[in-house]
Amino acid sequence: MAGQLAHAHTQLYNVAIGSTAYKRGEYIQPVIGPYLNPVANFTKNEIRCRNDNGVSPKTPYLSVKAGSEFSVVWHRSSDSPTDNMVAPSHRGPCMIYLGKVEENPDDIKWFKIYELGFNKDTKKWCSDVARDNHGRVDIIIPKDIMDGKYLLRTELLALHRANHAWGAQFYPNCVQLDITGSSNKFLDPPPEFVSFPGAYKQDDPGIFYKYWQDKGQNYVIPGPKVYPPTKPN
């Protein structure tokens, strides 16, 4: 049973800058414990990156220019066409954060740069969209930030058990980036900074959620607003 459950779970498999894809696990921090298991208790340090680290000293930094297209790719165990990223039953939103590296990982302040929840027109969650794209989600590294070393924190949130206390399943991973070419200033309004642990609460509507009853119709993605803010049409 344990093996079957792990086979339903997921991990950040690799990343890409534009059309350049990097090797499996390269620049991605290792995780502790069985590598596909989710984080259930988001009050623990594991909610940062699925490990106890702030920075992984053995993981190199990937150089990337601010404003670049950046892709993250989730898989279970391989990038073969039969690996569908995560079990179809494990549906929910995707969030991506940046946190500037600090000597003490408790001091890292994170801000959200991407989120995708439920689309009422297509009836698809972000997990469905990523699965349809062979596990891949494309983002832009913000231009209006500060140069420096960062952790890019990816997160899939599976909601199939979220109607129970501590039932939501978090799948965080961290990529180590060295970002250059930014404007070295934030836009106004600046990012909403949060801490991990600390950003989420059990009674957040996007975490304790009646998934089977609501079916995405009124879902609220947890965490802060996305930076930079979306420009009005």
Side-chain angles (χ1 to χ4, degrees):
M1 177 62 73
Q4 292 175 343
L5 289 173
H7 190 62
H9 300 161
T10 193
Q11 61 178 321
L12 188 62
Y13 190 85
N14 70 324
V15 298
I17 300 175
S19 60
T20 302
Y22 295 90
K23 296 178 182 178
R24 173 182 179 178
E26 194 173 13
Y27 306 108
I28 300 171
Q29 288 190 6
V31 301
I32 60 173
Y35 67 95
L36 292 182
N37 280 0
V39 175
N41 188 341
F42 50 81
T43 68
K44 303 295 186 182
N45 288 341
E46 287 86 348
I47 193 60
R48 291 184 193 129
C49 305
R50 241 188 301 187
N51 57 42
D52 278 327
N53 301 327
V55 173
S56 174
K58 294 184 179 180
T59 302
Y61 285 88
L62 174 60
S63 295
V64 58
K65 288 187 177 181
S68 298
E69 181 181 287
F70 192 85
S71 302
V72 299
V73 184
W74 289 279
H75 288 303
R76 297 181 190 177
S77 58
S78 77
D79 61 355
S80 71
T82 57
D83 186 302
N84 64 358
M85 188 188 83
V86 69
S89 61
H90 288 41
R91 305 174 77 195
C94 314
M95 294 86 80
I96 299 177
Y97 293 79
L98 279 175
K100 208 163 191 294
V101 169
E102 301 283 356
E103 184 175 351
N104 183 345
D106 293 337
D107 294 335
I108 296 176
K109 300 302 180 186
W110 304 84
F111 57 100
K112 188 188 290 181
I113 63 170
Y114 176 87
E115 66 178 21
L116 185 64
F118 181 77
N119 186 308
K120 294 181 181 180
D121 295 325
T122 64
K123 311 298 183 187
K124 289 187 176 183
W125 292 88
C126 180
S127 56
D128 303 317
V129 174
R131 190 184 302 108
D132 292 346
N133 198 31
H134 199 45
R136 180 174 177 138
V137 167
D138 299 324
I139 65 169
I140 299 294
I141 301 296
K143 182 74 173 177
D144 293 299
I145 58 175
M146 311 298 176
D147 284 356
K149 289 182 167 58
Y150 284 83
L151 301 184
L152 182 137
R153 178 183 179 273
T154 65
E155 184 171 49
L156 286 173
L157 177 54
L159 299 170
H160 56 295
R161 295 180 179 175
N163 59 320
H164 301 289
W166 305 102
Q169 294 183 354
F170 297 81
Y171 295 89
N173 289 98
C174 288
V175 186
Q176 299 195 170
L177 300 181
D178 187 1
I179 299 177
T180 60
S182 73
S183 66
N184 277 310
K185 63 180 180 180
F186 289 121
L187 295 174
D188 188 19
E192 294 182 16
F193 293 102
V194 297
S195 298
F196 285 107
Y200 300 150
K201 301 187 299 294
Q202 178 55 40
D203 59 357
D204 286 346
I207 293 175
F208 185 72
Y209 173 66
K210 296 181 178 180
Y211 170 82
W212 298 102
Q213 291 86 356
D214 188 63
K215 299 181 179 179
Q217 295 303 304
N218 300 290
Y219 185 72
V220 179
I221 300 172
K225 295 179 181 179
V226 169
Y227 176 87
T230 303
K231 295 180 180 179
N233 295 326

